[in-house]
Amino acid sequence: FLKSSVNELLQLDEETQILSYTVTIDLPHSSIETTNTGSQLSNALKIQVNSADAGTIFSIDNVKIIKDGKETKVPSRIYKIAG
């Protein structure tokens, strides 16, 4: 699933500069939250999401990008891992 770039997951042009974002993975009895910088997903995060069970929900929040030379926020995205 997470072979996509953060830009693809957020439906942003590949040229869009992503400053930071938070990923939250909701597990059955807990959640994992990590703050990331740049447009690449860390290998550890890819492993966590790719090993999650079907039905697990993860979100990308607090996304800050550079648009027209200014820092701005974009809407969050929520995904449900398919089976």
mmCIF file with all atom_site columns, all heavy atoms in Angstrom, residues 6-23:
data_model
loop_
_atom_site.group_PDB
_atom_site.id
_atom_site.type_symbol
_atom_site.label_atom_id
_atom_site.label_alt_id
_atom_site.label_comp_id
_atom_site.label_asym_id
_atom_site.label_entity_id
_atom_site.label_seq_id
_atom_site.pdbx_PDB_ins_code
_atom_site.Cartn_x
_atom_site.Cartn_y
_atom_site.Cartn_z
_atom_site.occupancy
_atom_site.B_iso_or_equiv
_atom_site.pdbx_formal_charge
_atom_site.auth_seq_id
_atom_site.auth_comp_id
_atom_site.auth_asym_id
_atom_site.auth_atom_id
_atom_site.pdbx_PDB_model_num
ATOM 1   N N   . VAL A 1 6  ? 4.211  10.772 -0.113  1.00 0.00 ? 6  VAL A N   1
ATOM 2   C CA  . VAL A 1 6  ? 3.281  11.566 0.679   1.00 0.00 ? 6  VAL A CA  1
ATOM 3   C C   . VAL A 1 6  ? 2.504  12.512 -0.244  1.00 0.00 ? 6  VAL A C   1
ATOM 4   O O   . VAL A 1 6  ? 1.310  12.701 -0.069  1.00 0.00 ? 6  VAL A O   1
ATOM 5   C CB  . VAL A 1 6  ? 4.036  12.361 1.771   1.00 0.00 ? 6  VAL A CB  1
ATOM 6   C CG1 . VAL A 1 6  ? 3.082  13.247 2.553   1.00 0.00 ? 6  VAL A CG1 1
ATOM 7   C CG2 . VAL A 1 6  ? 4.752  11.410 2.707   1.00 0.00 ? 6  VAL A CG2 1
ATOM 8   N N   . ASN A 1 7  ? 3.183  13.052 -1.248  1.00 0.00 ? 7  ASN A N   1
ATOM 9   C CA  . ASN A 1 7  ? 2.503  13.940 -2.198  1.00 0.00 ? 7  ASN A CA  1
ATOM 10  C C   . ASN A 1 7  ? 1.334  13.221 -2.869  1.00 0.00 ? 7  ASN A C   1
ATOM 11  O O   . ASN A 1 7  ? 0.251  13.788 -3.015  1.00 0.00 ? 7  ASN A O   1
ATOM 12  C CB  . ASN A 1 7  ? 3.477  14.450 -3.260  1.00 0.00 ? 7  ASN A CB  1
ATOM 13  C CG  . ASN A 1 7  ? 4.510  15.379 -2.690  1.00 0.00 ? 7  ASN A CG  1
ATOM 14  O OD1 . ASN A 1 7  ? 5.296  14.982 -1.835  1.00 0.00 ? 7  ASN A OD1 1
ATOM 15  N ND2 . ASN A 1 7  ? 4.536  16.607 -3.143  1.00 0.00 ? 7  ASN A ND2 1
ATOM 16  N N   . GLU A 1 8  ? 1.544  11.969 -3.276  1.00 0.00 ? 8  GLU A N   1
ATOM 17  C CA  . GLU A 1 8  ? 0.468  11.206 -3.910  1.00 0.00 ? 8  GLU A CA  1
ATOM 18  C C   . GLU A 1 8  ? -0.675 10.955 -2.932  1.00 0.00 ? 8  GLU A C   1
ATOM 19  O O   . GLU A 1 8  ? -1.845 11.104 -3.289  1.00 0.00 ? 8  GLU A O   1
ATOM 20  C CB  . GLU A 1 8  ? 0.994  9.874  -4.433  1.00 0.00 ? 8  GLU A CB  1
ATOM 21  C CG  . GLU A 1 8  ? 1.857  9.994  -5.663  1.00 0.00 ? 8  GLU A CG  1
ATOM 22  C CD  . GLU A 1 8  ? 2.415  8.650  -6.084  1.00 0.00 ? 8  GLU A CD  1
ATOM 23  O OE1 . GLU A 1 8  ? 3.188  8.050  -5.304  1.00 0.00 ? 8  GLU A OE1 1
ATOM 24  O OE2 . GLU A 1 8  ? 2.075  8.215  -7.196  1.00 0.00 ? 8  GLU A OE2 1
ATOM 25  N N   . LEU A 1 9  ? -0.351 10.571 -1.698  1.00 0.00 ? 9  LEU A N   1
ATOM 26  C CA  . LEU A 1 9  ? -1.385 10.296 -0.703  1.00 0.00 ? 9  LEU A CA  1
ATOM 27  C C   . LEU A 1 9  ? -2.209 11.543 -0.396  1.00 0.00 ? 9  LEU A C   1
ATOM 28  O O   . LEU A 1 9  ? -3.407 11.455 -0.124  1.00 0.00 ? 9  LEU A O   1
ATOM 29  C CB  . LEU A 1 9  ? -0.764 9.749  0.578   1.00 0.00 ? 9  LEU A CB  1
ATOM 30  C CG  . LEU A 1 9  ? -0.179 8.342  0.492   1.00 0.00 ? 9  LEU A CG  1
ATOM 31  C CD1 . LEU A 1 9  ? 0.598  8.013  1.756   1.00 0.00 ? 9  LEU A CD1 1
ATOM 32  C CD2 . LEU A 1 9  ? -1.282 7.322  0.267   1.00 0.00 ? 9  LEU A CD2 1
ATOM 33  N N   . LEU A 1 10 ? -1.569 12.707 -0.436  1.00 0.00 ? 10 LEU A N   1
ATOM 34  C CA  . LEU A 1 10 ? -2.266 13.959 -0.151  1.00 0.00 ? 10 LEU A CA  1
ATOM 35  C C   . LEU A 1 10 ? -2.827 14.607 -1.404  1.00 0.00 ? 10 LEU A C   1
ATOM 36  O O   . LEU A 1 10 ? -3.422 15.670 -1.342  1.00 0.00 ? 10 LEU A O   1
ATOM 37  C CB  . LEU A 1 10 ? -1.315 14.938 0.554   1.00 0.00 ? 10 LEU A CB  1
ATOM 38  C CG  . LEU A 1 10 ? -0.857 14.510 1.939   1.00 0.00 ? 10 LEU A CG  1
ATOM 39  C CD1 . LEU A 1 10 ? 0.263  15.415 2.433   1.00 0.00 ? 10 LEU A CD1 1
ATOM 40  C CD2 . LEU A 1 10 ? -2.030 14.520 2.907   1.00 0.00 ? 10 LEU A CD2 1
ATOM 41  N N   . GLN A 1 11 ? -2.628 13.958 -2.537  1.00 0.00 ? 11 GLN A N   1
ATOM 42  C CA  . GLN A 1 11 ? -3.091 14.455 -3.835  1.00 0.00 ? 11 GLN A CA  1
ATOM 43  C C   . GLN A 1 11 ? -2.519 15.838 -4.146  1.00 0.00 ? 11 GLN A C   1
ATOM 44  O O   . GLN A 1 11 ? -3.228 16.757 -4.560  1.00 0.00 ? 11 GLN A O   1
ATOM 45  C CB  . GLN A 1 11 ? -4.621 14.444 -3.904  1.00 0.00 ? 11 GLN A CB  1
ATOM 46  C CG  . GLN A 1 11 ? -5.184 13.047 -3.743  1.00 0.00 ? 11 GLN A CG  1
ATOM 47  C CD  . GLN A 1 11 ? -6.694 13.002 -3.711  1.00 0.00 ? 11 GLN A CD  1
ATOM 48  O OE1 . GLN A 1 11 ? -7.369 14.009 -3.627  1.00 0.00 ? 11 GLN A OE1 1
ATOM 49  N NE2 . GLN A 1 11 ? -7.221 11.786 -3.768  1.00 0.00 ? 11 GLN A NE2 1
ATOM 50  N N   . LEU A 1 12 ? -1.212 15.970 -3.925  1.00 0.00 ? 12 LEU A N   1
ATOM 51  C CA  . LEU A 1 12 ? -0.480 17.197 -4.231  1.00 0.00 ? 12 LEU A CA  1
ATOM 52  C C   . LEU A 1 12 ? 0.468  16.930 -5.390  1.00 0.00 ? 12 LEU A C   1
ATOM 53  O O   . LEU A 1 12 ? 0.940  15.808 -5.568  1.00 0.00 ? 12 LEU A O   1
ATOM 54  C CB  . LEU A 1 12 ? 0.346  17.647 -3.017  1.00 0.00 ? 12 LEU A CB  1
ATOM 55  C CG  . LEU A 1 12 ? -0.420 17.972 -1.738  1.00 0.00 ? 12 LEU A CG  1
ATOM 56  C CD1 . LEU A 1 12 ? 0.558  18.167 -0.587  1.00 0.00 ? 12 LEU A CD1 1
ATOM 57  C CD2 . LEU A 1 12 ? -1.279 19.217 -1.935  1.00 0.00 ? 12 LEU A CD2 1
ATOM 58  N N   . ASP A 1 13 ? 0.774  17.963 -6.148  1.00 0.00 ? 13 ASP A N   1
ATOM 59  C CA  . ASP A 1 13 ? 1.775  17.824 -7.200  1.00 0.00 ? 13 ASP A CA  1
ATOM 60  C C   . ASP A 1 13 ? 3.086  17.354 -6.589  1.00 0.00 ? 13 ASP A C   1
ATOM 61  O O   . ASP A 1 13 ? 3.434  17.740 -5.468  1.00 0.00 ? 13 ASP A O   1
ATOM 62  C CB  . ASP A 1 13 ? 2.021  19.175 -7.891  1.00 0.00 ? 13 ASP A CB  1
ATOM 63  C CG  . ASP A 1 13 ? 0.830  19.649 -8.701  1.00 0.00 ? 13 ASP A CG  1
ATOM 64  O OD1 . ASP A 1 13 ? 0.072  18.789 -9.190  1.00 0.00 ? 13 ASP A OD1 1
ATOM 65  O OD2 . ASP A 1 13 ? 0.664  20.870 -8.836  1.00 0.00 ? 13 ASP A OD2 1
ATOM 66  N N   . GLU A 1 14 ? 3.825  16.542 -7.330  1.00 0.00 ? 14 GLU A N   1
ATOM 67  C CA  . GLU A 1 14 ? 5.110  16.034 -6.829  1.00 0.00 ? 14 GLU A CA  1
ATOM 68  C C   . GLU A 1 14 ? 6.093  17.158 -6.528  1.00 0.00 ? 14 GLU A C   1
ATOM 69  O O   . GLU A 1 14 ? 6.991  17.003 -5.719  1.00 0.00 ? 14 GLU A O   1
ATOM 70  C CB  . GLU A 1 14 ? 5.720  15.038 -7.814  1.00 0.00 ? 14 GLU A CB  1
ATOM 71  C CG  . GLU A 1 14 ? 5.033  13.687 -7.825  1.00 0.00 ? 14 GLU A CG  1
ATOM 72  C CD  . GLU A 1 14 ? 5.082  12.952 -6.488  1.00 0.00 ? 14 GLU A CD  1
ATOM 73  O OE1 . GLU A 1 14 ? 6.132  12.965 -5.813  1.00 0.00 ? 14 GLU A OE1 1
ATOM 74  O OE2 . GLU A 1 14 ? 4.056  12.371 -6.114  1.00 0.00 ? 14 GLU A OE2 1
ATOM 75  N N   . GLU A 1 15 ? 5.911  18.314 -7.183  1.00 0.00 ? 15 GLU A N   1
ATOM 76  C CA  . GLU A 1 15 ? 6.813  19.444 -6.969  1.00 0.00 ? 15 GLU A CA  1
ATOM 77  C C   . GLU A 1 15 ? 6.496  20.213 -5.690  1.00 0.00 ? 15 GLU A C   1
ATOM 78  O O   . GLU A 1 15 ? 7.278  21.042 -5.250  1.00 0.00 ? 15 GLU A O   1
ATOM 79  C CB  . GLU A 1 15 ? 6.747  20.411 -8.159  1.00 0.00 ? 15 GLU A CB  1
ATOM 80  C CG  . GLU A 1 15 ? 7.232  19.822 -9.469  1.00 0.00 ? 15 GLU A CG  1
ATOM 81  C CD  . GLU A 1 15 ? 6.173  18.936 -10.150 1.00 0.00 ? 15 GLU A CD  1
ATOM 82  O OE1 . GLU A 1 15 ? 4.968  19.210 -10.016 1.00 0.00 ? 15 GLU A OE1 1
ATOM 83  O OE2 . GLU A 1 15 ? 6.573  17.951 -10.794 1.00 0.00 ? 15 GLU A OE2 1
ATOM 84  N N   . THR A 1 16 ? 5.330  19.963 -5.090  1.00 0.00 ? 16 THR A N   1
ATOM 85  C CA  . THR A 1 16 ? 4.938  20.678 -3.872  1.00 0.00 ? 16 THR A CA  1
ATOM 86  C C   . THR A 1 16 ? 5.877  20.309 -2.740  1.00 0.00 ? 16 THR A C   1
ATOM 87  O O   . THR A 1 16 ? 6.120  19.138 -2.473  1.00 0.00 ? 16 THR A O   1
ATOM 88  C CB  . THR A 1 16 ? 3.491  20.340 -3.471  1.00 0.00 ? 16 THR A CB  1
ATOM 89  O OG1 . THR A 1 16 ? 2.618  20.710 -4.533  1.00 0.00 ? 16 THR A OG1 1
ATOM 90  C CG2 . THR A 1 16 ? 3.081  21.062 -2.202  1.00 0.00 ? 16 THR A CG2 1
ATOM 91  N N   . GLN A 1 17 ? 6.416  21.326 -2.073  1.00 0.00 ? 17 GLN A N   1
ATOM 92  C CA  . GLN A 1 17 ? 7.332  21.098 -0.958  1.00 0.00 ? 17 GLN A CA  1
ATOM 93  C C   . GLN A 1 17 ? 6.542  20.886 0.326   1.00 0.00 ? 17 GLN A C   1
ATOM 94  O O   . GLN A 1 17 ? 5.804  21.768 0.756   1.00 0.00 ? 17 GLN A O   1
ATOM 95  C CB  . GLN A 1 17 ? 8.286  22.276 -0.790  1.00 0.00 ? 17 GLN A CB  1
ATOM 96  C CG  . GLN A 1 17 ? 9.281  22.077 0.334   1.00 0.00 ? 17 GLN A CG  1
ATOM 97  C CD  . GLN A 1 17 ? 10.170 23.284 0.547   1.00 0.00 ? 17 GLN A CD  1
ATOM 98  O OE1 . GLN A 1 17 ? 10.097 24.279 -0.162  1.00 0.00 ? 17 GLN A OE1 1
ATOM 99  N NE2 . GLN A 1 17 ? 11.031 23.196 1.542   1.00 0.00 ? 17 GLN A NE2 1
ATOM 100 N N   . ILE A 1 18 ? 6.685  19.700 0.916   1.00 0.00 ? 18 ILE A N   1
ATOM 101 C CA  . ILE A 1 18 ? 6.027  19.386 2.181   1.00 0.00 ? 18 ILE A CA  1
ATOM 102 C C   . ILE A 1 18 ? 7.022  19.656 3.304   1.00 0.00 ? 18 ILE A C   1
ATOM 103 O O   . ILE A 1 18 ? 8.140  19.139 3.290   1.00 0.00 ? 18 ILE A O   1
ATOM 104 C CB  . ILE A 1 18 ? 5.561  17.917 2.221   1.00 0.00 ? 18 ILE A CB  1
ATOM 105 C CG1 . ILE A 1 18 ? 4.522  17.683 1.114   1.00 0.00 ? 18 ILE A CG1 1
ATOM 106 C CG2 . ILE A 1 18 ? 4.989  17.581 3.591   1.00 0.00 ? 18 ILE A CG2 1
ATOM 107 C CD1 . ILE A 1 18 ? 4.098  16.239 0.972   1.00 0.00 ? 18 ILE A CD1 1
ATOM 108 N N   . LEU A 1 19 ? 6.606  20.476 4.261   1.00 0.00 ? 19 LEU A N   1
ATOM 109 C CA  . LEU A 1 19 ? 7.478  20.796 5.388   1.00 0.00 ? 19 LEU A CA  1
ATOM 110 C C   . LEU A 1 19 ? 7.368  19.760 6.498   1.00 0.00 ? 19 LEU A C   1
ATOM 111 O O   . LEU A 1 19 ? 8.374  19.256 6.987   1.00 0.00 ? 19 LEU A O   1
ATOM 112 C CB  . LEU A 1 19 ? 7.143  22.180 5.942   1.00 0.00 ? 19 LEU A CB  1
ATOM 113 C CG  . LEU A 1 19 ? 7.313  23.348 4.974   1.00 0.00 ? 19 LEU A CG  1
ATOM 114 C CD1 . LEU A 1 19 ? 6.830  24.637 5.620   1.00 0.00 ? 19 LEU A CD1 1
ATOM 115 C CD2 . LEU A 1 19 ? 8.763  23.462 4.546   1.00 0.00 ? 19 LEU A CD2 1
ATOM 116 N N   . SER A 1 20 ? 6.130  19.454 6.905   1.00 0.00 ? 20 SER A N   1
ATOM 117 C CA  . SER A 1 20 ? 5.943  18.486 7.991   1.00 0.00 ? 20 SER A CA  1
ATOM 118 C C   . SER A 1 20 ? 4.509  17.973 7.986   1.00 0.00 ? 20 SER A C   1
ATOM 119 O O   . SER A 1 20 ? 3.616  18.576 7.391   1.00 0.00 ? 20 SER A O   1
ATOM 120 C CB  . SER A 1 20 ? 6.265  19.118 9.349   1.00 0.00 ? 20 SER A CB  1
ATOM 121 O OG  . SER A 1 20 ? 5.378  20.177 9.620   1.00 0.00 ? 20 SER A OG  1
ATOM 122 N N   . TYR A 1 21 ? 4.308  16.851 8.680   1.00 0.00 ? 21 TYR A N   1
ATOM 123 C CA  . TYR A 1 21 ? 2.987  16.240 8.801   1.00 0.00 ? 21 TYR A CA  1
ATOM 124 C C   . TYR A 1 21 ? 3.033  15.218 9.928   1.00 0.00 ? 21 TYR A C   1
ATOM 125 O O   . TYR A 1 21 ? 4.104  14.760 10.339  1.00 0.00 ? 21 TYR A O   1
ATOM 126 C CB  . TYR A 1 21 ? 2.550  15.571 7.494   1.00 0.00 ? 21 TYR A CB  1
ATOM 127 C CG  . TYR A 1 21 ? 3.519  14.527 6.987   1.00 0.00 ? 21 TYR A CG  1
ATOM 128 C CD1 . TYR A 1 21 ? 3.336  13.187 7.284   1.00 0.00 ? 21 TYR A CD1 1
ATOM 129 C CD2 . TYR A 1 21 ? 4.626  14.884 6.232   1.00 0.00 ? 21 TYR A CD2 1
ATOM 130 C CE1 . TYR A 1 21 ? 4.226  12.228 6.839   1.00 0.00 ? 21 TYR A CE1 1
ATOM 131 C CE2 . TYR A 1 21 ? 5.521  13.937 5.782   1.00 0.00 ? 21 TYR A CE2 1
ATOM 132 C CZ  . TYR A 1 21 ? 5.320  12.609 6.087   1.00 0.00 ? 21 TYR A CZ  1
ATOM 133 O OH  . TYR A 1 21 ? 6.215  11.657 5.662   1.00 0.00 ? 21 TYR A OH  1
ATOM 134 N N   . THR A 1 22 ? 1.858  14.866 10.429  1.00 0.00 ? 22 THR A N   1
ATOM 135 C CA  . THR A 1 22 ? 1.738  13.868 11.487  1.00 0.00 ? 22 THR A CA  1
ATOM 136 C C   . THR A 1 22 ? 0.955  12.682 10.952  1.00 0.00 ? 22 THR A C   1
ATOM 137 O O   . THR A 1 22 ? -0.076 12.861 10.305  1.00 0.00 ? 22 THR A O   1
ATOM 138 C CB  . THR A 1 22 ? 1.000  14.458 12.706  1.00 0.00 ? 22 THR A CB  1
ATOM 139 O OG1 . THR A 1 22 ? 1.717  15.596 13.168  1.00 0.00 ? 22 THR A OG1 1
ATOM 140 C CG2 . THR A 1 22 ? 0.885  13.437 13.829  1.00 0.00 ? 22 THR A CG2 1
ATOM 141 N N   . VAL A 1 23 ? 1.451  11.485 11.203  1.00 0.00 ? 23 VAL A N   1
ATOM 142 C CA  . VAL A 1 23 ? 0.737  10.265 10.827  1.00 0.00 ? 23 VAL A CA  1
ATOM 143 C C   . VAL A 1 23 ? 0.286  9.568  12.108  1.00 0.00 ? 23 VAL A C   1
ATOM 144 O O   . VAL A 1 23 ? 1.077  9.389  13.034  1.00 0.00 ? 23 VAL A O   1
ATOM 145 C CB  . VAL A 1 23 ? 1.627  9.310  9.995   1.00 0.00 ? 23 VAL A CB  1
ATOM 146 C CG1 . VAL A 1 23 ? 0.910  7.994  9.722   1.00 0.00 ? 23 VAL A CG1 1
ATOM 147 C CG2 . VAL A 1 23 ? 2.044  9.974  8.698   1.00 0.00 ? 23 VAL A CG2 1
#
